[in-house]
Amino acid sequence: MRSVVLSGLFIVSALAMNAQKLSLTPQVGFENSRTSINYNNLGSFAPLGGEFNPQVSLRLDYKFKQGFGPYIGASTSRSGVLYGFNDIENGMSEYVATKANMQLRMEAGYQYTSKPIFFNKSKQSPSTSKTKTSGKSSCGSYYYRNNCSRSYSSRSGHCQSKNTAAKKAENKNKGGWMRLQPSMGIGYIAAPKTDIVTKTDGTLTAYEYRAGNWNTAFLTGMGFEFGRNNQRLLNVSINYFTGIGNMEKQTVSNESDIKTSYATLESKASGWNMRIGIPFTLAEKKSGKHTSTNKTKRTSCCDKMRTEYKYRCIMQ
């Protein structure tokens, strides 16, 4: 367990040094777990049924440019059930079931973040195409003779239309949006090694079976991230888990002067949870190439326009 934690911290440190987008999301919510017991292969039953418990979690995720990326986290879990009985032969009908203590569950996996889905799409008016060439150029306006002004106006409109299209593209990215975040991973709990505890008080022997005492689980879920413009506001996720490790059959026996009694117990644990949190961006790799490129293109457009204008005026 210690080596796993150290490896996780090393990976997170390496990602933070060269991060495209590293986010931390504290979450609160609830978890509904169901633990069933199979006693002597007579059928499964849930002693406590479905149980709701409060849950807190912390999740750290890293996102590449394509939207994929790993995540690690920790959350509370209380899916275990303490199943106590005294008589092995009647343990399925005469028992006492209580909740186990709250445990810390480590989580790690892989997730995908989709592109933003905007709630309000901007509509272009029909008069937009007509007014593309109208107005003054962003490079400035000059008034000379009529034989030179015509060629200059056409070039100016061409340069202005590119800038107008770029502004419209930026305006489309404004407003409320939602991203989908499907994920898949593994959960780990440092569960106790002993599943059956035997307590003897004089001539009375009591047995306690720790049902749902898993140490690894399969995790899957879907997250919904909401935001506005370039700001991330809220994250809502619904997740499912099922225990897969340390869920083998356990056998308990009781010897007396007359006979020896045996009982075989097996349990299964699964459940789902709902969490709500606020994401915080810890590191984001920003590139200033786009701004400089746009400025260069715009300047080159204006310089070309002015050069051609001067050349034609001199020739005339």
Side-chain angles (χ1 to χ4, degrees):
M1 178 61 184
R2 183 178 180 182
S3 59
V4 174
V5 175
L6 293 177
S7 301
L9 293 176
F10 176 77
I11 294 173
V12 172
S13 301
L15 294 177
M17 294 178 64
N18 188 21
Q20 179 67 23
K21 181 170 285 187
L22 188 65
S23 302
L24 181 67
T25 307
Q27 297 174 316
V28 295
F30 63 88
E31 183 172 84
N32 181 11
S33 60
R34 180 181 176 86
T35 301
S36 60
I37 299 175
N38 190 323
Y39 196 93
N40 277 341
N41 298 323
L42 297 176
S44 299
F45 65 99
L48 298 179
E51 291 291 324
F52 283 90
N53 296 288
Q55 185 179 64
V56 294
S57 65
L58 188 65
R59 186 162 178 165
L60 185 68
D61 62 88
Y62 172 82
K63 186 177 70 174
F64 297 99
K65 292 183 179 180
Q66 295 80 4
F68 295 92
Y71 74 88
I72 60 173
S75 64
T76 57
S77 177
R78 201 177 183 182
S79 59
V81 174
L82 301 180
Y83 185 82
F85 56 95
N86 297 327
D87 189 359
I88 293 180
E89 295 182 354
N90 300 317
M92 190 173 179
S93 56
E94 299 177 2
Y95 63 87
V96 176
T98 57
K99 291 182 181 180
N101 295 329
M102 191 77 71
Q103 294 177 299
L104 180 64
R105 178 172 70 203
M106 305 301 297
E107 301 174 354
Y110 212 68
Q111 75 173 12
Y112 170 74
T113 302
S114 68
K115 294 182 179 180
I117 303 172
F118 296 96
F119 297 135
N120 48 351
K121 296 183 179 180
S122 60
K123 298 181 180 179
Q124 296 182 355
S125 59
S127 61
T128 304
S129 58
K130 297 181 181 180
T131 60
K132 279 185 178 180
T133 58
S134 62
K136 296 183 179 180
S137 171
S138 58
C139 301
S141 300
Y142 302 90
Y143 297 93
Y144 293 94
R145 294 179 299 175
N146 293 332
N147 54 357
C148 296
S149 61
R150 291 180 181 178
S151 61
Y152 178 82
S153 298
S154 61
R155 296 291 182 180
S156 176
H158 176 68
C159 184
Q160 182 183 3
S161 62
K162 289 184 177 180
N163 296 332
T164 306
K167 290 181 180 180
K168 288 180 179 179
E170 292 178 0
N171 292 334
K172 284 185 179 180
N173 295 333
K174 294 182 179 180
W177 50 264
M178 177 187 70
R179 286 192 178 105
L180 302 179
Q181 295 179 323
S183 63
M184 185 179 300
I186 295 294
Y188 175 80
I189 292 181
K193 298 181 180 180
T194 304
D195 290 329
I196 296 181
V197 178
T198 303
K199 300 178 181 180
T200 304
D201 186 7
T203 58
L204 182 63
T205 302
Y207 305 93
E208 184 180 75
Y209 172 60
R210 295 188 175 98
N213 191 31
W214 56 269
N215 57 3
T216 55
F218 173 74
L219 309 176
T220 183
M222 174 65 75
F224 304 90
E225 186 178 73
F226 299 92
R228 184 172 183 82
N229 297 336
N230 295 328
Q231 187 177 5
R232 305 161 66 196
L233 300 177
L234 186 67
N235 183 282
V236 180
S237 64
I238 300 176
N239 309 281
Y240 171 81
F241 76 91
T242 179
I244 56 177
N246 194 39
M247 304 293 286
E248 297 84 5
K249 290 183 178 181
Q250 302 293 329
T251 302
V252 60
S253 62
N254 183 18
E255 297 182 1
S256 62
D257 297 336
I258 303 176
K259 61 178 181 178
T260 303
S261 301
Y262 295 93
T264 303
L265 298 97
E266 184 181 12
S267 64
K268 294 181 180 180
S270 61
W272 63 276
N273 59 66
M274 183 175 181
R275 305 171 182 173
I276 300 176
I278 300 177
F280 297 94
T281 302
L282 299 181
E284 185 173 0
K285 189 177 181 180
K286 298 181 180 180
S287 59
K289 295 182 180 180
H290 300 287
T291 305
S292 60
T293 305
N294 293 334
K295 290 183 179 179
T296 304
K297 289 183 179 178
R298 182 176 176 181
T299 305
S300 61
C301 177
C302 299
D303 292 341
K304 182 180 180 182
M305 176 181 58
R306 292 174 182 174
T307 304
E308 291 181 358
Y309 175 78
K310 291 180 180 179
Y311 175 78
R312 292 185 181 181
C313 291
I314 293 173
M315 292 298 295
Q316 294 178 359

